Amino acid sequence: MAAYLEVTWVDPVTGTTGFLVIDRLVRGVSSGGLRMRAGCTLDEVRGLAAGMTLKEALHYDSTGRYVPLGGAKGGIDFDPYDRNAREILGRYLTAMRALIERHWTMGEDFGLRQDTIDDVLGEMGMGSSIQAVYPLLDNEKQARDRLAAAFGVKVDGVPLDELVGGYGVAEATLAALPAKDGPVRAVVQGFGSMGGATARYLAAAGVLVVGIADRHGVVANPAGLDVENLLRHRDPLGGIDRMGLRPGDTTLPLDDWLAVPAEVLVPAAVSYCVDETNCDRVAAQVIVEAANLPVTAAAERSLAARGVTIIPDFLANSATNAWWWWTLFGDIEPTAESAFGKIRQRMRALVAATLARPGTPRAAALALAAQNLDRIAVRFPS
């Protein structure tokens, strides 16, 4: 099925290219984040938008107040570390303003932080990156107050919104683990909001996080890294200060992240990082896709033939998106307890339902999403 809308934008000042793909609208609205990275392409954004449609659909509950939206995604082909990144972001958002106001609810993705997006939109005179959904709410003020309260919650000094996605990935991982005597080892690629929270909650559950990859390389310790210590030495975009490493921690070249001995691999940073050229180096039995599209289709076929279980991205990393809408629509309270309880229940149930079906986890999750999309289409015909 073709995307509903595709937009290619060229920055009039620098020539930088950006994209927006609305894969599907439900009740006139779509949902999906905005990323910024050098090398971002229309094909990438198109795939991410289709994935958002699936991510939304998986959480459909006919008894809930939240009805999943359509899928969308934005992307800017630019280095987020460049000093001109904020100005380019501002011009992109200005160009997309009409769609943001009416059809595209948007949040942070790779290379961008929500507070940066909110600040730029505020400078433009816009109140929210998700204002397109407001007409669907029963009581907009109560809903916005509820979401604002949730964004004000901190857990051990960390904002709740920076934890829910990684908590969901951790719960999906725990549900997918094979039976094993002794501790389970995990490697996490990426140490931003998603990767950092995933590592935190895996470690809290007793998993040995033996490797973490950031843009500088790999930090490893076969006895298990002190994740909380590394979080204290992390910059805003997930880089680890090597001066904060502890005895027993070692550093490895970035390319070695796949080969660190572990049962679980969690790619939580960039797309297409596991492909047919390096998938033979994967040492893990389970891959949980915290990033969007981290494993190419060819690599997934090769890994599946080896018996590697891959929990697909549109399931594994769906908790952030769902938490926003559960909170806004009133399916959960704006508390950490309510958020974590709902996420744990839904992620474990989805992984269990996926692994119980024949075929690969991706095929099973796609079938579940397709069933829900049909139900949503019947309930809200376009």
Side-chain angles (χ1 to χ4, degrees):
M1 181 177 177
Y4 177 82
L5 175 69
E6 295 186 353
V7 178
T8 296
W9 166 81
V10 179
D11 180 24
V13 177
T14 66
T16 296
T17 305
F19 313 97
L20 169 61
V21 176
I22 296 178
D23 182 70
R24 178 183 297 230
L25 294 175
V26 175
R27 295 191 289 173
V29 184
S30 62
S31 171
L34 172 62
R35 62 171 42 195
M36 178 183 284
R37 75 169 192 90
C40 184
T41 66
L42 176 59
D43 279 345
E44 174 183 339
V45 175
R46 186 184 291 126
L48 294 167
M52 281 303 306
T53 292
L54 299 173
K55 188 181 300 187
E56 286 273 339
L58 275 179
H59 288 284
Y60 177 56
D61 176 1
S62 62
T63 67
R65 298 175 182 174
Y66 154 51
V67 175
L69 309 174
K73 208 73 176 185
I76 303 173
D77 178 9
F78 197 74
D79 179 1
Y81 290 93
D82 190 284
R83 61 186 178 86
N84 295 314
R86 183 185 173 97
E87 292 182 6
I88 289 172
L89 171 65
R91 290 192 289 271
Y92 172 93
L93 293 176
T94 298
M96 303 299 175
R97 179 169 185 155
L99 292 168
I100 296 169
E101 290 176 337
R102 298 186 60 185
H103 300 295
W104 178 29
T105 64
M106 173 259 298
E108 69 177 21
D109 198 273
F110 180 81
L112 291 173
R113 290 178 56 87
Q114 187 65 40
D115 54 2
T116 302
I117 293 171
D118 290 343
D119 287 347
V120 174
L121 289 176
E123 292 166 4
M124 294 166 52
M126 295 181 63
S128 171
S129 66
I130 62 167
Q131 67 186 66
V133 81
Y134 290 165
L136 305 183
L137 302 171
D138 291 334
N139 187 313
E140 179 185 329
K141 182 180 185 308
Q142 288 183 3
R144 294 177 66 178
D145 287 348
R146 192 163 49 240
L147 189 62
F151 269 84
V153 174
K154 292 188 175 182
V155 179
D156 298 327
V158 182
L160 178 61
D161 65 291
E162 297 184 13
L163 298 174
V164 288
Y167 182 82
V169 173
E171 287 297 328
T173 303
L174 295 171
L177 289 179
K180 179 181 181 295
D181 293 331
V184 173
R185 300 165 298 174
V187 172
V188 179
Q189 182 236 22
F191 206 51
S193 295
M194 184 70 81
T198 299
R200 161 179 273 190
Y201 290 112
L202 286 177
V207 173
L208 292 181
V209 179
V210 295
I212 294 174
D214 66 4
R215 67 182 185 277
H216 305 299
V218 180
V219 176
N221 189 326
L225 294 162
D226 185 337
V227 173
E228 294 300 322
N229 173 63
L230 296 180
L231 288 170
R232 289 191 291 270
H233 292 87
R234 176 182 66 169
D235 70 30
L237 289 176
I240 298 170
D241 182 355
R242 269 44 177 180
M243 296 298 292
L245 301 187
R246 295 193 168 183
D249 295 347
T250 60
T251 58
L252 303 169
L254 182 56
D255 288 345
D256 286 350
W257 71 282
L258 291 172
V260 175
E263 286 70 43
V264 179
L265 185 67
V266 183
V270 298
S271 302
Y272 316 125
C273 57
V274 180
D275 59 23
E276 55 269 35
T277 70
N278 62 13
C279 64
D280 60 328
R281 302 189 69 201
V282 172
Q285 300 168 321
V286 176
I287 297 177
V288 182
E289 294 187 322
N292 291 313
L293 305 175
V295 182
T296 67
E300 183 164 342
R301 288 192 295 269
S302 178
L303 290 164
R306 287 169 42 194
V308 177
T309 298
I310 301 176
I311 304 301
D313 55 354
F314 61 91
L315 191 168
N317 68 16
S318 63
T320 300
N321 185 71
W323 169 77
W324 274 66
W325 303 134
W326 287 331
T327 305
L328 190 73
F329 282 86
D331 287 309
I332 61 174
E333 295 300 315
T335 66
E337 295 77 12
S338 185
F340 289 153
K342 179 75 168 180
I343 291 169
R344 183 179 192 277
Q345 181 268 323
R346 285 299 298 154
M347 298 305 292
R348 294 215 171 211
L350 283 171
V351 171
T354 296
L355 295 180
R357 284 176 170 249
T360 66
R362 181 174 300 276
L366 283 170
L368 289 172
Q371 286 181 357
N372 285 345
L373 285 170
D374 289 343
R375 292 167 181 153
I376 294 169
V378 169
R379 182 174 174 185
F380 298 104
S382 57

